[in-house]
Amino acid sequence: MLVIIYPFKLFSVSHITAILLTLVGILFLFLFRNKMGHKGKRVLKICLIASLFLSELTFHLWYLIKGEWTIETNLPFQLCSLSIYLCVIMLLTKSYRLFEVTYFASMAGALIAMITPELFYGFPHLRYFQFFVAHAAIILSAFYMIWMEGFHVRFTSVLRAFFSLNAIAVVVYFIDRVTGANYMFLAHKPYNLSPIDYLGPYPWYLLSLEFVAFFVFMLLYLPFFLYNKR
């Protein structure tokens, strides 16, 4: 039986601290959105890219060193793993199309993952730091594009991101079928407590997730709608 030395506890001090530090990062971006020069933005962008890259590298190295790297677990087909690559490309290319998908699909997934992580290792385990650094960097990358690069979204962005997410899910579903994995939780619910537990049994929770995703996307669009209306 596997004994975890540093088990993760939902809403423990270390969990709440990680959430608060992410909020501090968001506040920092907001407060300095009009004060940071080109050089400062470049340094900040490099820091975000490095955080994303190193968190993903650490994730794979940890599994490789333990001899537990498998195609069922470690291929980059979880939403947040995909988001890491999307964010890196977005930051490097300043692609608006990638920003639309990242802001809605990636940030929504990262926000939910931060609040209800599928994580078994708590502070001060390496996986604790890797998990929260990766998800915080995804969220901060989206806000960086908004406040540092001046990107905005429209209602068409909601639709484009929603259909893009579904297209990705179709591909990942077949990957799950071939590999026996559970990427994007398309094969079964996560083992940890999560909001999916309240969305019905398999496969009906997948349909419920469609409505939840679109609702969350609309909530993320609301600040832009109110800003544009004003």
Side-chain angles (χ1 to χ4, degrees):
M1 181 178 178
L2 177 64
V3 178
I4 298 176
I5 300 176
Y6 304 111
F8 177 79
K9 295 181 180 178
L10 192 66
F11 301 128
S12 60
V13 173
S14 59
H15 181 198
I16 294 174
T17 299
I19 294 173
L20 290 176
L21 287 175
T22 304
L23 292 175
V24 169
I26 295 171
L27 181 62
F28 171 84
L29 290 176
F30 177 76
L31 292 176
F32 287 90
R33 66 193 186 282
N34 297 321
K35 301 176 182 179
M36 192 171 291
H38 176 74
K39 186 176 180 180
K41 290 179 182 179
R42 187 170 181 272
V43 171
L44 183 55
K45 185 196 299 188
I46 291 172
C47 289
L48 286 171
I49 292 172
S51 298
L52 291 163
F53 175 78
L54 290 175
S55 64
E56 183 70 357
L57 179 63
T58 303
F59 172 76
H60 290 284
L61 285 177
W62 183 75
Y63 274 95
L64 284 169
I65 291 170
K66 286 175 61 67
E68 296 179 1
W69 196 100
T70 65
I71 61 173
E72 295 89 354
T73 306
N74 300 99
L75 294 180
F77 294 118
Q78 288 288 24
L79 181 57
C80 289
S81 294
L82 286 167
S83 299
I84 288 175
Y85 295 94
L86 290 175
C87 284
V88 169
I89 298 171
M90 174 189 70
L91 290 167
L92 289 172
T93 64
K94 296 184 181 180
S95 169
Y96 179 74
R97 290 291 180 239
L98 278 180
F99 166 73
E100 288 179 303
V101 177
T102 300
Y103 175 72
F104 289 106
S106 300
M107 193 167 77
L111 283 169
I112 294 171
M114 289 280 289
I115 297 170
T116 57
E118 192 189 27
L119 179 66
F120 301 99
Y121 298 91
F123 180 87
H125 196 277
L126 176 66
R127 281 283 286 128
Y128 165 87
F129 291 102
Q130 181 275 326
F131 181 93
F132 285 108
V133 167
H135 289 80
I138 292 169
I139 295 169
L140 294 176
S141 294
F143 281 112
Y144 171 89
M145 299 304 291
I146 295 168
W147 287 325
M148 298 298 172
E149 301 294 346
F151 281 23
H152 289 256
V153 294
R154 301 177 290 270
F155 180 71
T156 53
S157 304
V158 176
L159 300 179
R160 190 172 288 113
F162 184 74
F163 288 119
S164 296
L165 178 61
N166 276 273
I168 292 170
V170 169
V171 175
V172 172
Y173 172 78
F174 286 105
I175 292 172
D176 284 348
R177 298 282 291 181
V178 171
T179 62
N182 186 34
Y183 296 117
M184 293 181 70
F185 308 119
L186 297 177
H188 58 77
K189 296 181 181 182
Y191 294 115
N192 277 21
L193 179 67
S194 78
I196 297 177
D197 294 328
Y198 304 99
L199 299 180
Y202 181 86
W204 301 110
Y205 75 81
L206 298 175
L207 182 60
S208 301
L209 278 174
E210 293 279 356
F211 293 100
V212 171
F214 192 79
F215 176 73
V216 173
F217 284 14
M218 290 301 294
L219 286 179
L220 290 171
Y221 170 64
L222 183 61
F224 291 94
F225 172 77
L226 296 176
Y227 178 81
N228 293 332
K229 188 176 181 181
R230 187 190 67 177

